Amino acid sequence: MAQKPRSDTHRLGKPLKRAFFDRSVHEVAPDLIGTTFLVGGVGGIIVEVEAYHQTEPAAHSFNGPTPRNQVMFGPPGFSYVYRSYGIHWCVNFVCEAPGSASAVLIRALEPTHGLAAMRRRRGLGDEQSLCSGPGKLCEALGITIAHSELPLDRPPIALYARSETPEIDIGMRIGITKAVDLPWRYGVKGSKFLSKRFPS
DNA sequence: CAGGTGATGCCCT
DNA sequence: GGGCATCACCTGC
């Protein structure tokens, strides 16, 4: 029998304001660790993210604005959803001043809200694998391209401040082929809900 | 548990 | 037409 969901015992913090994202992506990314991310009331605690910035070739914005990535060049506090490998969706939060074209990729959640809905969408019972990857968490939360370019402080999206400050691991980003040596991946130290363990 | 690989859509050159 | 900010499943240790 699975352990009791954490949502039974922990309270949500204050809603994040859109101004939270009007800072350097390198400040926002680690600050997002431990916050709660819900879509339509379903989601959990962010345990892993990566930062991307226009000045670095792994970013979708590196080659300038296109129809797909235009939201990255707009104001902070909006979602950017793209299709990955033709199969999965991945979600980012746009950061910094308009034109900086930086964003935080949400890579893993600790599921806390709507476990039944997530299991149904994922076709899985294993709680540890529900949201342990950028494509997995989008499937669990029902995120598609229809959720791109939406404000992060209005329904159906909700973000809540962390109630405790977790110990944070920092490492190289995963699954990319360019700018592989930038340590722009952040995660909750020792979390069982990461997409991959941080090297010790 | 680590490593290799096929599936699959679409953006951009 | 090339190249992916991935996942699940298979192998072999």
Side-chain angles (χ1 to χ4, degrees):
Chain A
M1 185 57 192
Q3 214 172 5
K4 190 180 243 193
R6 188 164 168 165
S7 55
D8 288 354
T9 53
H10 100 289
R11 269 200 267 181
L12 292 173
K14 287 170 44 178
L16 294 187
K17 296 170 182 169
R18 216 179 300 177
F20 179 90
F21 298 95
D22 191 10
R23 297 180 290 150
S24 163
V25 71
H26 304 297
E27 296 177 34
V28 176
D31 282 357
L32 277 171
I33 298 297
T35 65
T36 295
F37 174 38
L38 305 180
V39 176
V42 174
I45 301 166
I46 296 177
V47 298
E48 181 185 342
V49 301
E50 284 174 358
Y52 287 86
H53 193 278
Q54 184 183 12
T55 53
E56 148 271 306
H60 287 175
S61 53
F62 181 66
N63 288 313
T66 69
R68 178 178 72 153
N69 66 22
Q70 59 164 328
V71 66
M72 285 189 73
F73 291 82
F78 286 81
S79 59
Y80 164 48
V81 178
Y82 69 93
R83 199 186 270 286
S84 177
Y85 290 89
I87 303 172
H88 311 286
W89 300 104
C90 295
V91 62
N92 295 253
F93 299 161
V94 175
C95 294
E96 303 192 25
S100 72
S102 66
V104 178
L105 172 68
I106 311 303
R107 287 196 56 90
L109 308 179
E110 174 180 343
T112 59
H113 290 67
L115 277 283
M118 289 193 263
R119 281 195 240 269
R120 186 172 61 248
R121 289 166 176 158
R122 293 272 295 124
L124 281 181
D126 176 19
E127 182 177 336
Q128 259 181 241
S129 308
L130 277 182
C131 298
S132 60
K136 297 180 192 178
L137 75 90
C138 282
E139 184 173 40
L141 273 58
I143 295 172
T144 71
I145 192 65
H147 296 85
S148 196
E149 311 191 22
L150 296 182
L152 299 175
D153 58 350
R154 301 241 309 273
I157 297 176
L159 283 161
Y160 300 96
R162 58 191 175 202
S163 45
E164 58 194 71
T165 305
E167 241 190 303
I168 294 179
D169 262 337
I170 302 177
M172 307 307 173
R173 296 176 298 182
I174 291 180
I176 56 174
T177 56
K178 304 165 192 161
V180 294
D181 51 351
L182 297 179
W184 291 1
R185 175 177 178 231
Y186 303 89
V188 174
K189 197 182 187 77
S191 171
K192 294 170 286 192
F193 301 94
L194 299 172
S195 69
K196 194 175 181 187
R197 300 177 71 104
F198 281 77
S200 43

